[in-house]
Amino acid sequence: MRRHRLILPLLLVAAAAASAAARAPFACAPGGPATSLPFCRQTLPLRARARDLVARLTRAEKVRLLVNNAAGVPRLGVAGYEWWSEALHGVSDTGPGVRFGGAFPGATAFPQVIGTAASFNASLWELIGRAVSDEGRAMYNGGQAGLTFWSPNVNIFRDPRWGRGQETPGEDPAVSGRYAAAYVRGLQQPYGGGGHHGGHTRLKTAACCKHFTAYDLDSWSGTDRFHFNAVVTPQDLEDTFNVPFKSCVVDGRAASVMCSYNQVNGVPTCADESFLRGTIRGKWQLEGYIVSDCDSVDVFYSDQHYTKTHEDAVAATLRAGLDLDCGPFLAQYTEGAVAQRKVSDADIDAAVTNTVIVQMRLGMYDGDLATQPFGHLGPQHVCTRAHQDLALEAARQSVVLLKNDAAALPLSPGTHRTVAVVGPHAEATVAMIGNYAGKPCGYTTPLQGIGRYVKTVLHQAGCTDVACQGGNQPIAAAVDAARRADATVVLVGLDQKVEAEGLDRTSLLLPGRQVELVSAVAKAAKGPVILVLMSGGPVDIAFAQNDRKIAGILWAGYPGQAGGQAIADVIFGHHNPGGKLPVTWYPQDYLQKAPMTNMAMRANPAKGYPGRTYRFYTGPTIHPFGHGLSYTKFTHTLAHAPAQLSVRLTGHHAATASSLNATTHLGRAAADVRVSHARCEGLSIPVHVDVKNVGDRDGAHTVLVYASPPAAAAAAHGAPARQLVAFEKVHVPAGGVARVKMGLDVCNGLSVADRDGVRRIPVGEHSLTIGELTHSVTLGVEQLGSHRDVAPYDILPIAAMHDELHSNPASSVRAQASELRCS
């Protein structure tokens, strides 16, 4: 067997002998032309420093700072800078800001995001971010990377065909939002803040959440992302598409957001002032910059014909709130737009100020790198043993056990001494790292990983490649190997030639003759057959689920550089799998009912539209969201949770009849309160769950808490039948018990979006589901109108509120007419 491994150690030892801070100062170098100027004075607030710099620039110099390959300003000692670097699941050379070679031949390649999401382990997500941040900063110090990494991708994996779904944390808004915040915190590692920084925290690197918003179609049935107008309801924007971005900015404090290629409701996202200025910078208070997806400005001018002239496009995007153009468009046409009075110098100044402040937060205007907090990082901090061990652990936690008939897994090296390893992914290397990847520190293939456990490996590819097309496929050789082996592992799935950026799938089935290979091997095998799937998106494997000869099925995502070892560790029981699917696995015929261009999340039975994701789709599945087995068994016991909770209202929104929204749908009365009227701070439901491992193996378990709103509210507002509101990963030894304490955020988790996109908290009985447990919590509204003290759990019952509304005709008419849109 060939070993696919980069030879790094000698290179790293040699590089470490050199200075870690090989890069010359970006600006404000000691003895440089601007050292004494205010923008170089670290004692001043960052905004004052940025404004001082911008005021010294000519219009032509400022315009050249509006694009990703920003020009330097030599007369002020400011170097040029490439903004576009990538770090989706490891430092990547997908963008021009990163260059491998020399002292940095590679970087740690963690599992693709869809796999890491399957771990449901927020601590792991942040640890990966921190490791990537170390390596990114080290490469910046060595002059081979930037500090602005345009990651993560937190778009909702809405449609199973999407080629870029692999880059995302999956279909659930809560999971995607928590992933976004955790990974961003890990990447940025903010420190300092306040004092002379003017309230801005300093950053180790700067993250960017992309692609805002409702972007999840690349190329399908004649429609591509450059021309697609996503027609999206305010409700779907509020409770699905925008949720991860809000979490990214509000909770993760990301330094940047990227707008997307597509239009939303007829307006390019990069020219939508209500999105960029209104939502991202206004409501969510972004402290950073907004960047276009690459050439997006030119796309909405040249391809979408949104504006008549180049200068109109400049005006549309700058006035909407864009700060940086990935592409040359703004550098080419902004001065003309100023000359035509379509934009002002103040518009340019505002954009440049936003980007410069981020650079200052990164220490780029603080002179010598060696004197800064991360100036010591160098080649010896890339591909460290700790980082590679973390990549292996992440890959293990990403594996999902889909099927395990008769406890066929784990295999025993003592019993299964000869193992056939077949399939096009048996020797996978590049396929394991997915897209937006860099050059790994090294690979362990599945063949190598399995070979470390058994005496004899019989290897046959079975297919010449993943496409597995044509009559010359070596299926017979794979079948022969299975006949001679004590056990057979079949490794099949997808790769970047099947699903990728710019390439959406047309089928959920395995490519080419892979099904034929799997079935033939299973039929001939004398021992247990284990099917291992590598893919980003879901696959219809009903044939394998129903094949009694296939005893076990694992999904490994794209498991990164250590994927082969992780797969073997799970197969032979060194690691007990605990991953769960972050997406619904649909049957093939789902595709006929759900055009990719239909952005509606909610089902429309009258039109035969099935809805999307577990929150709104109730049809048959191959595997549901959250599915994942273990080699042991866990039970849940509810240790603590209140049965009722009061919602207090803010200020003049004290609980009166006019503060409650009453609607009637199909004869059911529903009452709710606007989230904007509730006192949300600290409004949380404590839920404590005891998890017991009743099996004979140690294992990790994810506690998933789903909430269902009162039936009347669900019917009135089209709320999800159930929604994941909390999750925690816990390790429990065999026979042991672990208590998991969670707080359910009422305003975020238990609210629903109405059809206008307004968040409301339904009053009444909410149902919580935790594994085999159910628990009801009744939400009421605290009555503040009386002159007596109110107990914390003083409840105004839903029936009483409904009666009160109808006993006051003026309030009732007003509420029904406006659904309580009180100011």
Side-chain angles (χ1 to χ4, degrees):
M1 295 182 291
R2 293 178 298 156
R3 299 188 63 83
H4 302 271
R5 192 170 292 278
L6 294 172
I7 307 301
L8 295 181
L10 293 178
L11 291 172
L12 293 182
V13 169
S19 171
R23 180 190 288 270
F26 171 78
C28 303
T35 305
S36 62
L37 297 179
F39 71 82
C40 288
R41 295 178 192 164
Q42 297 180 39
T43 56
L44 294 178
L46 295 186
R47 184 164 293 277
R49 295 174 65 188
R51 286 175 173 168
D52 176 74
L53 172 64
V54 172
R56 297 175 187 276
L57 300 174
T58 67
R59 182 186 298 160
E61 289 170 335
K62 287 184 282 190
V63 164
R64 286 294 292 123
L65 299 181
L66 294 174
V67 291
N68 63 289
N69 56 338
V73 186
R75 66 184 182 85
L76 294 177
V78 178
Y81 180 68
E82 176 54 69
W83 285 84
W84 181 6
S85 292
E86 299 279 358
L88 182 69
H89 52 113
V91 179
S92 165
D93 55 352
T94 303
V98 172
R99 175 176 54 86
F100 289 112
F104 299 95
T108 309
F110 293 91
Q112 180 60 290
V113 175
I114 192 68
T116 307
S119 73
F120 281 79
N121 187 341
S123 298
L124 175 67
W125 301 336
E126 184 166 343
L127 284 173
I128 292 172
R130 294 177 72 88
V132 175
S133 182
D134 277 354
E135 298 195 357
R137 189 82 196 204
M139 290 186 68
Y140 173 79
N141 291 345
Q144 292 183 218
L147 288 176
T148 46
F149 292 99
W150 292 351
S151 303
N153 178 344
V154 295
N155 291 114
I156 295 295
F157 197 167
R158 171 188 64 97
D159 189 287
R161 290 162 286 201
W162 188 31
R164 300 190 73 177
Q166 61 181 291
E167 302 172 28
T168 76
E171 71 181 36
D172 182 73
V175 174
S176 298
R178 193 166 173 194
Y179 178 89
Y183 190 69
V184 166
R185 282 193 295 267
L187 272 182
Q188 295 193 157
Q189 293 179 51
Y191 65 100
H196 63 262
H197 297 313
H200 295 284
T201 56
R202 291 302 191 103
L203 303 172
K204 184 177 178 182
T205 66
C208 173
C209 285
K210 60 186 184 183
H211 314 76
F212 187 84
T213 183
Y215 165 58
D216 49 20
L217 178 152
D218 270 55
S219 181
W220 178 81
S221 192
T223 300
D224 66 41
R225 57 184 175 167
F226 306 118
H227 300 87
F228 181 49
N229 175 29
V231 178
V232 187
T233 66
Q235 186 176 38
D236 285 342
L237 280 173
E238 174 61 31
D239 73 3
T240 300
F241 296 110
N242 287 357
V243 172
F245 292 96
K246 180 179 180 181
S247 181
C248 188
V249 175
V250 175
D251 301 324
R253 311 306 300 173
S256 178
V257 172
M258 176 183 286
C259 51
S260 55
Y261 290 115
N262 57 288
Q263 296 184 354
V264 173
N265 300 328
V267 181
T269 62
C270 292
D272 194 320
E273 185 172 1
S274 67
F275 278 162
L276 307 191
R277 290 195 189 278
T279 299
I280 298 173
R281 198 171 292 284
K283 292 179 182 177
W284 299 344
Q285 295 291 295
L286 172 74
E287 294 183 5
Y289 69 99
I290 300 174
V291 60
S292 74
D293 204 342
C294 295
D295 294 319
S296 284
V297 182
D298 183 60
V299 163
F300 78 66
Y301 168 72
S302 300
D303 296 302
Q304 299 173 7
H305 308 294
Y306 183 71
T307 62
K308 291 183 179 180
T309 69
H310 297 96
E311 291 76 18
D312 287 337
V314 171
T317 198
L318 284 181
R319 289 183 174 175
L322 191 77
D323 301 307
L324 187 70
D325 175 21
C326 179
F329 197 95
L330 292 187
Q332 293 171 328
Y333 301 111
T334 298
E335 288 190 88
V338 175
Q340 296 177 29
R341 297 186 177 181
K342 294 183 175 180
V343 297
S344 67
D345 284 310
D347 294 323
I348 301 170
D349 289 354
V352 175
T353 299
N354 286 333
T355 56
V356 168
I357 287 177
V358 171
Q359 290 179 316
M360 289 181 170
R361 293 173 69 190
L362 291 163
M364 294 172 65
Y365 284 81
D366 292 346
D368 188 2
L369 283 171
T371 64
Q372 296 182 36
F374 307 107
H376 67 286
L377 294 175
Q380 70 274 26
H381 297 98
V382 179
C383 287
T384 64
R385 184 72 266 155
H387 290 176
Q388 295 193 60
D389 287 346
L390 182 62
L392 174 58
E393 179 59 25
R396 289 169 176 155
Q397 292 195 30
S398 298
V399 175
V400 181
L401 178 60
L402 300 177
K403 176 183 178 181
N404 193 19
D405 285 355
L409 285 169
L411 299 182
S412 167
T415 303
H416 307 103
R417 298 169 64 83
T418 299
V419 175
V421 180
V422 305
H425 279 317
E427 290 191 288
T429 54
V430 174
M432 292 197 300
I433 61 176
N435 68 352
Y436 279 79
K439 292 181 172 54
C441 314
Y443 291 109
T444 300
T445 70
L447 185 61
Q448 292 169 346
I450 294 169
R452 293 171 183 171
Y453 278 97
V454 298
K455 180 179 179 181
T456 304
V457 172
L458 305 177
H459 170 236
Q460 292 292 336
C463 295
T464 56
D465 55 16
V466 168
C468 201
Q469 294 178 336
N472 63 338
Q473 302 302 319
I475 294 175
V479 168
D480 181 65
R483 285 196 185 104
R484 296 185 287 123
D486 299 320
T488 300
V489 179
V490 189
L491 295 113
V492 297
L494 314 179
D495 65 7
Q496 301 308 301
K497 294 181 180 179
V498 180
E499 57 174 355
E501 183 172 10
L503 180 62
D504 297 328
R505 286 189 287 163
T506 58
S507 171
L508 300 183
L509 303 177
L510 288 170
R513 298 175 64 188
Q514 285 192 28
V515 171
E516 179 185 346
L517 167 68
V518 174
S519 297
V521 165
K523 184 177 180 180
K526 72 173 185 179
V529 175
I530 310 303
L531 177 64
V532 179
L533 298 159
M534 285 193 202
S535 71
V539 183
D540 182 342
I541 53 166
F543 81 97
Q545 286 293 135
N546 298 327
D547 191 331
R548 294 181 180 178
K549 292 295 296 290
I550 299 174
I553 304 177
L554 300 172
W555 177 70
Y558 293 124
Q561 66 177 49
Q565 187 62 53
I567 290 168
D569 288 346
V570 171
I571 289 174
F572 289 97
H574 180 73
H575 177 80
N576 186 353
K580 295 186 180 294
L581 292 178
V583 291
T584 301
W585 282 35
Y586 303 90
Q588 169 72 7
D589 64 4
Y590 173 84
L591 304 186
Q592 313 310 315
K593 306 169 188 175
M596 212 170 165
T597 48
N598 189 332
M599 299 295 292
M601 296 300 298
R602 288 154 172 84
N604 186 339
K607 294 185 177 180
Y609 181 68
R612 297 185 182 277
T613 78
Y614 80 93
R615 296 163 64 233
F616 302 106
Y617 171 73
T618 58
T621 64
I622 303 300
H623 288 296
F625 171 90
H627 174 68
L629 307 175
S630 172
Y631 295 155
T632 188
K633 184 178 179 181
F634 300 95
T635 61
H636 307 86
T637 303
L638 189 64
H640 171 70
Q644 55 186 14
L645 189 72
S646 290
V647 177
R648 298 186 66 188
L649 303 185
T650 59
H652 64 282
H653 298 299
T656 66
S658 63
S659 297
L660 300 168
N661 171 49
T663 58
T664 301
H665 182 81
L666 299 178
R668 293 179 175 179
D672 52 60
V673 175
R674 282 195 184 199
V675 167
S676 60
H677 296 171
R679 296 187 181 183
C680 291
E681 185 176 355
L683 186 58
S684 177
I685 298 174
V687 176
H688 301 173
V689 179
D690 286 339
V691 179
K692 184 174 183 179
N693 183 341
V694 297
D696 58 2
R697 286 178 177 268
D698 297 354
H701 178 65
T702 299
V703 179
L704 302 174
V705 182
Y706 294 93
S708 299
H717 297 307
R722 63 182 184 126
Q723 165 73 55
L724 187 67
V725 293
F727 61 91
E728 291 295 338
K729 193 73 169 276
V730 61
H731 186 272
V732 189
V737 179
R739 178 161 294 183
V740 178
K741 298 181 179 181
M742 296 166 284
L744 310 189
D745 186 318
V746 172
C747 290
N748 284 327
L750 299 190
S751 67
V752 300
D754 68 16
R755 287 174 171 81
D756 294 320
V758 176
R759 283 276 182 181
R760 299 179 181 277
I761 303 171
V763 178
E765 186 177 291
H766 293 249
S767 178
L768 305 181
T769 303
I770 309 164
E772 67 278 17
L773 299 177
T774 58
H775 176 73
S776 294
V777 178
T778 299
L779 294 184
V781 178
E782 188 171 291
Q783 301 178 70
L784 299 180
S786 66
H787 295 289
R788 60 186 176 84
D789 292 334
V790 182
Y793 290 159
D794 192 8
I795 302 298
L796 184 61
I798 184 169
M801 288 185 286
H802 186 253
D803 292 343
E804 182 178 348
L805 284 167
H806 285 275
S807 70
N808 184 333
S811 295
S812 179
V813 170
R814 184 166 60 249
Q816 290 179 359
S818 66
E819 292 193 41
L820 201 68
R821 292 172 179 81
C822 48
S823 59

